[in-house]
Amino acid sequence: MTSSQTSSRYDFKSIEEKWQEHWERTKINKVSENADKEKYYVLEMFPYPSGRIHMGHVRNYSIGDVVARYKRLRGYNVLHPMGWDAFGLPAENAAQKNNSHPAVWTYDNIDYMRNQLRQLGLSYDWDREIATCRPEYYRWEQKLFIEMFEKGLAYQKNTSVNWCDSCQTVLANEQVIDGLCWRCDEEVKPKEMNGWFFKITDYAEELLDDLDKLEGWPEKVVTMQRNWIGKSTGLSCDFAVDGLEEKISIFTTRPDTIFGVTFMSIAPEHDLVDTLISGSQNEQEIRNFIEDIRSEKQQQGPADEPVKKGIFTGRYCINPFNNEKVPVYIANFVLIGYGTGAVMAVPAHDERDFEFAKKYSLPIKPVVIPKGESLVVEEMENASTVYGSLTGSGQFDGMESEQAKQAIIQYAETNTFGSAHTTYRLRDWGISRQRYWGAPIPIVYCDKCGIVPAPLDSLPVELPQDVNPGDGICRPLHQRPEFYETTCPACGDSARRETDTMDTFVESSWYYMRYGCPRHEEDILDKDKAGYWLAVDQYIGGVEHAILHLLYSRFFTKMLRDLGYLKIDEPFTNLLTQGMVIKDGSKMSKSKGNVVDPHDLIGEYGADTTRLFSLFAAPPEKDLEWNSQGVEGCSRFLNRVYRFISLRPHLATHSELPTDLNENSRALHRKTHQTIRRVTENIENNFHFNTAISGVMELFNTLTATTDNAEGEPAEDAAICEAIESMLVLLFPMVPHFCSEMWHAIGKESGIEEQQWPNYDEEAAKEDLLTIVVQVRGKVRSRLQVPADIDDETLKTMAHADENVQRFIDGEEVKKTIVVKKKLVNIVV
Ligand code: ANZ
Ligand code: ZN
């Protein structure tokens, strides 16, 4: 960079610092509940305090900040808060690595990142800041847990977890690498443990139904939620086990295929496995097989599709519809957690069963024949999964699938071996984590009294901070007798505290509620204050949270409503899922080594240019491809505006815009109003700030052209002034420091944030009308009045539709239509 270029750059550093200090000193973004003003709550997903902010944060928060500032100019009472999703495993790992304490690491990061957000000029009400690791926050989460426990919405059950014996800890799936512990390389074993669950399944139906209310959500997110909840309706039905007093229950969504059952598949973890195989000739072989499947499962990610395999149990069960005996297999693709953990296998009509039957030479029996087809077993290469009419199905023969389903369910109900049944893919939410850095679960175990909640006045059950930073280990709570040894709140005898902490998704399920009353000391929520602000009008964040975080938040909202804290059904009225920031074709990430640090950008170009680039480079829902020329371009634009305004300080004061404008000033006046319309529509309709910004850039070009051609008339000055003022207000939400400074530079006394968003004048925005001549066979047949900016296609259509023209082309074949810009249309017939 040459020195002349440097000197022509405006001094963003001192300007940005000056305005940041000003905003902080005047607490300009602080809000309180005001019944006379319409509220608007805009929220960006709060960050995990990992150390430094990255470009994804910059993008997310810039989008949110434009919305917040725009809505303020529109006169709303805007809540725009920020906080920290501050519990979680990385803090423990980092502490171990650095011989420090998770709390120290976390709070240091928060301080650093808060400062970075301030440097970006984001308009948060910092007085409402929340860090979820603070006892003032999780204390209320603990109270909520106890209320849930009392309502049966938090309960304990046994589950199988990944256990590392040498680390004495439970591991998350992603911490098990090829069946070994990621830290010590010891073999990981499944272990049955008691864990706490939230009964989200109680709300499955409402969570599904209310998806229809979410008109302000992207369709794809609604679909993902719908699939995650996964409602299926069908038949549950009992198959008796031959020779035993036992029954295997199955769930099927295709009762119409029940006469095509040729075997039964059950999950390796199924309750009946032991009973079925004990005493069988190859019992040991079967047990080995089950062990193999278990360890294979552990090495697979949840998304891996295993090669199908199974083993015959030696037992048969009986299809209650035709009394046929079919063999019972243990199969690796049957999930214990879904339906009943057993599947009636219909290889002719189910893909998985087909593959399995082929592999183990089991019979295939088609019973549902698609319209106009015939199914010959020997020729089938796949299962036939579509509906059709029934055959080989006794009294149901000839029925169509839909009708047959109903009739078959009816028959099962009449004969009491089955009934209509609905299942959900959604499971209850397991929230126990055997970790240190999380919110303690406020429960005490007493030998006499059983499970006793901690008394409300003893909350918070505080996380002990007594670890010695020098010893390099962060012991989980179950290794700290000074934490878990306690007395029973009911009987006073010695008792033991729960040593698990809560999943960090619990904190993020309700933080947006707490922002409404962050310092409330009496209860989980101040109903009036939270009630005033909620629901969140606009929520903005990454699509990676499209399922769990949003679903849990919806669940918490409904639950808190039922507990009497809230009056709303849904937490987020509108949702914007922003795309990723990518560079050289892949997501910016440390592991890829393609990270651009916002810190460097802010240092080199300033916060405003950084913000402008992140808004300009792509519409929010699309991925943003990093490109350094784009940053340069944004910087150049702001510098041009800066120089333009610096040269014309007198422009601030102008007389009213006169009615008779000369050509030059009318063009600018028109462009100003067209730009206001365009920017307003872009923001209101779909937050397409990129096109809004290019609109303002066009306006600036017209502005410079107008001043170049100016003839010194007062009307021109007035139009120029109108353009500059509008331009600054339109840009203010995106580049707030810059516009605040320029607003003063043109001589304004009050702050730009006291302005109203400009209204556009429909009349002024209209293009001038032109008269276009229409010729047919070279003869003038009509004249059209059209806007000067009309495009050729519209003009042709108008010409063809004109009454006078119609008389001459009616019945003729139009060969060609030629448009001569701004002059004429020639129709050749
Ligand atoms: C017989 C059948 C015949 C089936 C057919 C399908 C097609 P959705 O729709 O996703 O709910 N199933 C039931 N429990 C299962 C489990 N624990 N693990 C794996 N698969 C299981 O799926 C329901 C279908 O998935 C059920 O209907 C069952 O297979 C299978 F032509 O029963 B079906
Ligand atoms: Zn007791």
Side-chain angles (χ1 to χ4, degrees):
M1 185 189 308
T2 66
S3 62
S4 74
Q5 270 174 318
T6 317
S7 64
S8 69
R9 244 185 212 182
Y10 76 95
D11 183 4
F12 55 80
K13 196 165 184 305
S14 64
I15 290 176
E16 291 178 357
E17 271 169 18
K18 167 181 151 190
W19 287 101
Q20 283 158 22
E21 267 166 36
H22 172 75
W23 295 328
E24 240 158 77
R25 203 179 52 247
T26 53
K27 292 214 180 237
I28 199 158
N29 301 311
K30 189 175 163 69
V31 279
S32 52
E33 302 67 41
N34 176 352
D36 299 333
K37 255 178 136 184
E38 200 174 338
K39 69 91 185 179
Y40 190 89
Y41 183 0
V42 51
L43 180 67
E44 300 106 57
M45 290 179 183
F46 67 165
Y48 178 76
S50 55
R52 311 163 73 90
I53 61 165
H54 54 67
M55 281 308 290
H57 293 129
V58 171
R59 188 176 193 206
N60 189 181
Y61 306 150
S62 298
I63 294 169
D65 204 48
V66 177
V67 178
R69 290 178 184 275
Y70 169 75
K71 290 289 176 180
R72 286 192 198 105
L73 294 178
R74 280 270 178 207
Y76 289 89
N77 193 25
V78 174
L79 174 58
H80 188 213
M82 181 42 75
W84 313 95
D85 190 9
F87 273 139
L89 194 56
E92 285 177 56
N93 296 339
Q96 231 154 54
K97 220 170 99 192
N98 310 330
N99 262 349
S100 88
H101 190 276
V104 175
W105 184 83
T106 303
Y107 289 122
D108 281 353
N109 287 348
I110 288 178
D111 286 341
Y112 189 84
M113 290 170 74
R114 185 195 300 110
N115 197 39
Q116 287 193 299
L117 297 186
R118 286 198 161 126
Q119 280 177 10
L120 274 169
L122 301 165
S123 63
Y124 298 123
D125 178 354
W126 283 109
D127 287 357
R128 292 175 185 261
E129 180 180 350
I130 283 173
T132 56
C133 61
R134 291 196 184 278
E136 304 90 86
Y137 182 80
Y138 65 70
R139 140 181 214 192
W140 299 116
E141 190 164 298
Q142 291 174 336
K143 180 178 184 230
L144 179 59
F145 181 95
I146 292 170
E147 290 192 20
M148 291 174 71
F149 171 73
E150 280 160 358
K151 287 253 152 47
L153 287 166
Y155 68 96
Q156 238 184 359
K157 77 175 173 193
N158 241 310
T159 50
S160 174
V161 294
N162 306 314
W163 180 256
C164 172
D165 224 20
S166 83
C167 298
Q168 283 287 300
T169 192
V170 173
L171 301 173
N173 284 337
E174 54 281 13
Q175 296 172 317
V176 183
I177 296 156
D178 295 336
L180 305 178
C181 170
W182 66 298
R183 254 184 56 205
C184 71
D185 275 351
E186 284 297 311
E187 193 188 338
V188 176
K189 297 209 179 86
K191 182 176 171 174
E192 291 291 313
M193 272 180 85
N194 246 341
W196 285 95
F197 286 79
F198 285 167
K199 219 166 181 192
I200 189 171
T201 51
D202 267 13
Y203 286 87
E205 193 67 40
E206 197 192 342
L207 286 166
L208 187 68
D209 286 348
D210 283 358
L211 286 174
D212 293 338
K213 292 186 189 164
L214 301 178
E215 284 166 13
W217 283 37
E219 193 52 47
K220 68 164 190 268
V221 176
V222 171
T223 305
M224 284 159 92
Q225 297 240 326
R226 181 167 288 126
N227 293 342
W228 189 261
I229 298 168
K231 179 179 179 173
S232 295
T233 48
L235 167 73
S236 78
C237 171
D238 295 337
F239 283 52
V241 180
D242 193 32
L244 288 176
E245 287 293 296
E246 299 286 354
K247 284 176 184 145
I248 299 176
S249 299
I250 58 96
F251 169 72
T252 178
T253 47
R254 290 292 305 272
D256 54 322
T257 65
I258 201 152
F259 285 79
V261 174
T262 58
F263 60 102
M264 171 73 76
S265 307
I266 64 173
E269 304 89 344
H270 195 281
D271 278 347
L272 279 180
V273 164
D274 266 339
T275 321
L276 291 175
I277 66 174
S278 68
S280 143
Q281 284 174 346
N282 54 347
E283 184 176 338
Q284 198 46 48
E285 190 195 337
I286 300 175
R287 290 198 187 279
N288 294 343
F289 176 84
I290 292 174
E291 261 320 301
D292 286 352
I293 294 183
R294 282 206 170 176
S295 59
E296 266 174 35
K297 265 194 194 166
Q298 245 162 32
Q299 293 170 28
Q300 275 148 355
D304 293 347
E305 183 77 34
V307 177
K308 287 178 193 52
K309 55 179 162 181
I311 193 163
F312 178 44
T313 58
R315 290 279 177 185
Y316 294 82
C317 64
I318 296 160
N319 184 340
F321 279 83
N322 55 11
N323 293 320
E324 264 177 31
K325 260 170 55 171
V326 294
V328 180
Y329 276 72
I330 293 167
N332 66 340
F333 62 89
V334 181
L335 311 167
I336 186 63
Y338 187 66
T340 59
V343 180
M344 64 176 221
V346 187
H349 302 296
D350 180 90
E351 227 36 274
R352 291 166 300 182
D353 298 343
F354 186 86
E355 205 184 313
F356 196 88
K358 282 282 180 198
K359 181 163 178 179
Y360 296 102
S361 304
L362 292 157
I364 298 172
K365 183 183 167 201
V367 290
V368 175
I369 312 299
K371 210 177 165 87
E373 282 182 43
S374 58
L375 293 178
V376 182
V377 175
E378 293 71 29
E379 291 168 6
M380 285 175 78
E381 282 174 9
N382 288 305
S384 163
T385 57
V386 294
Y387 285 177
S389 65
L390 270 64
T391 175
S393 300
Q395 65 192 99
F396 307 100
D397 271 6
M399 285 187 187
E400 295 299 313
S401 288
E402 280 297 352
Q403 184 199 2
K405 279 185 179 184
Q406 300 313 319
I408 284 169
I409 291 173
Q410 187 77 64
Y411 182 85
E413 283 178 346
T414 314
N415 293 282
T416 67
F417 54 71
S419 58
H421 192 74
T422 302
T423 52
Y424 297 90
R425 198 159 291 278
L426 183 66
R427 303 278 78 142
D428 278 342
W429 172 14
I431 58 117
S432 290
R433 298 291 179 273
Q434 291 68 30
R435 308 263 155 69
Y436 165 72
W437 193 234
I441 294 174
I443 289 289
V444 173
Y445 301 98
C446 168
D447 283 343
K448 271 196 273 168
C449 313
I451 302 179
V452 185
L456 291 185
D457 60 12
S458 74
L459 300 183
V461 176
E462 229 174 298
L463 202 57
Q465 303 272 321
D466 53 7
V467 76
N468 172 11
D471 66 10
I473 45 168
C474 179
R475 290 167 298 135
L477 298 179
H478 68 270
Q479 294 170 357
R480 295 164 174 254
E482 66 285 7
F483 172 79
Y484 63 68
E485 283 173 357
T486 185
T487 51
C488 169
C491 73
D493 272 6
S494 64
R496 190 185 159 100
R497 281 190 195 286
E498 169 67 66
T499 50
D500 286 351
T501 52
M502 290 191 242
D503 181 1
T504 61
F505 272 102
V506 181
E507 282 88 62
S508 55
S509 296
W510 71 287
Y511 76 107
Y512 52 89
M513 306 177 188
R514 187 71 187 170
Y515 278 140
C517 50
R519 308 289 172 254
H520 188 55
E521 287 189 12
E522 278 77 52
D523 209 340
I524 302 170
L525 294 176
D526 175 327
K527 292 174 198 171
D528 293 334
K529 290 187 173 174
Y532 174 82
W533 291 113
L534 290 167
V536 175
D537 294 281
Q538 182 66 55
Y539 198 29
I540 307 165
V543 75
E544 66 274 17
H545 293 299
I547 300 181
L548 292 185
H549 163 58
L550 293 174
L551 193 68
Y552 294 155
S553 298
R554 297 181 59 222
F555 161 51
F556 263 51
T557 301
K558 293 172 191 301
M559 183 176 68
L560 276 140
R561 174 201 62 198
D562 293 346
L563 292 170
Y565 291 96
L566 296 175
K567 293 212 169 77
I568 52 167
D569 299 321
E570 286 289 335
F572 312 122
T573 310
N574 295 290
L575 174 71
L576 175 67
T577 46
Q578 105 237 13
M580 290 184 302
V581 179
I582 53 182
K583 186 165 175 253
D584 312 325
S586 50
K587 180 177 175 174
M588 258 193 201
S589 72
K590 274 202 198 118
S591 58
K592 293 250 164 56
N594 61 353
V595 173
V596 175
D597 194 332
H599 179 83
D600 301 339
L601 268 187
I602 296 172
E604 190 171 349
Y605 295 97
D608 282 328
T609 295
T610 305
R611 292 169 60 124
L612 190 63
F613 168 73
S614 80
L615 295 162
F616 183 49
E621 73 281 3
K622 293 269 160 57
D623 286 347
L624 184 161
E625 173 84 51
W626 172 259
N627 119 37
S628 48
Q629 279 116 47
V631 184
E632 276 293 340
C634 288
S635 167
R636 229 176 298 125
F637 170 66
L638 292 183
N639 279 291
R640 280 178 66 208
V641 176
Y642 184 88
R643 282 195 298 275
F644 181 89
I645 290 177
S646 311
L647 293 174
R648 294 169 183 80
H650 64 281
L651 276 175
T653 45
H654 70 89
S655 47
E656 277 292 298
L657 206 65
T659 39
D660 55 331
L661 299 171
N662 64 8
E663 181 75 23
N664 202 20
S665 43
R666 189 171 56 240
L668 180 57
H669 180 53
R670 178 164 57 230
K671 189 71 181 175
T672 300
H673 285 266
Q674 288 175 340
T675 307
I676 298 171
R677 180 173 62 195
R678 176 164 166 190
V679 173
T680 309
E681 286 174 357
N682 282 148
I683 295 182
E684 288 286 343
N685 295 348
N686 49 16
F687 300 131
H688 278 189
F689 309 118
N690 57 327
T691 47
I693 293 167
S694 52
V696 177
M697 289 174 171
E698 277 177 32
L699 171 62
F700 182 64
N701 288 340
T702 311
L703 177 62
T704 51
T706 308
T707 49
D708 289 348
N709 303 333
E711 292 156 13
E713 286 188 27
E716 284 169 339
D717 278 355
I720 289 170
C721 187
E722 181 192 44
I724 293 180
E725 283 184 10
S726 308
M727 183 175 76
L728 291 179
V729 180
L730 296 179
L731 276 182
F732 170 69
M734 311 177 206
V735 288
H737 317 84
F738 180 82
C739 292
S740 298
E741 183 72 16
M742 293 298 93
W743 194 250
H744 275 215
I746 61 171
K748 298 286 184 185
E749 304 275 307
S750 60
I752 189 167
E753 53 281 301
E754 284 163 41
Q755 290 299 297
Q756 282 182 7
W757 187 257
N759 282 321
Y760 55 88
D761 177 350
E762 215 33 277
E763 241 353 89
K766 257 195 199 144
E767 283 291 344
D768 283 350
L769 291 182
L770 290 178
T771 304
I772 304 276
V773 165
V774 187
Q775 297 179 336
V776 182
R777 275 207 197 92
K779 289 217 174 80
V780 177
R781 298 299 183 193
S782 185
R783 289 189 165 78
L784 300 173
Q785 293 272 309
V786 300
D789 62 343
I790 192 166
D791 64 87
D792 289 0
E793 279 315 305
T794 320
L795 187 57
K796 281 183 196 172
T797 317
M798 274 177 81
H800 286 187
D802 185 82
E803 239 178 64
N804 296 328
V805 175
Q806 278 281 320
R807 282 196 286 142
F808 294 94
I809 60 172
D810 202 24
E812 307 267 356
E813 187 198 346
V814 176
K815 287 228 174 85
K816 236 202 279 183
T817 306
I818 303 153
V819 175
V820 180
K821 281 241 177 293
K822 303 206 167 180
K823 286 214 176 81
L824 89 141
V825 179
N826 189 10
I827 302 176
V828 184
V829 292

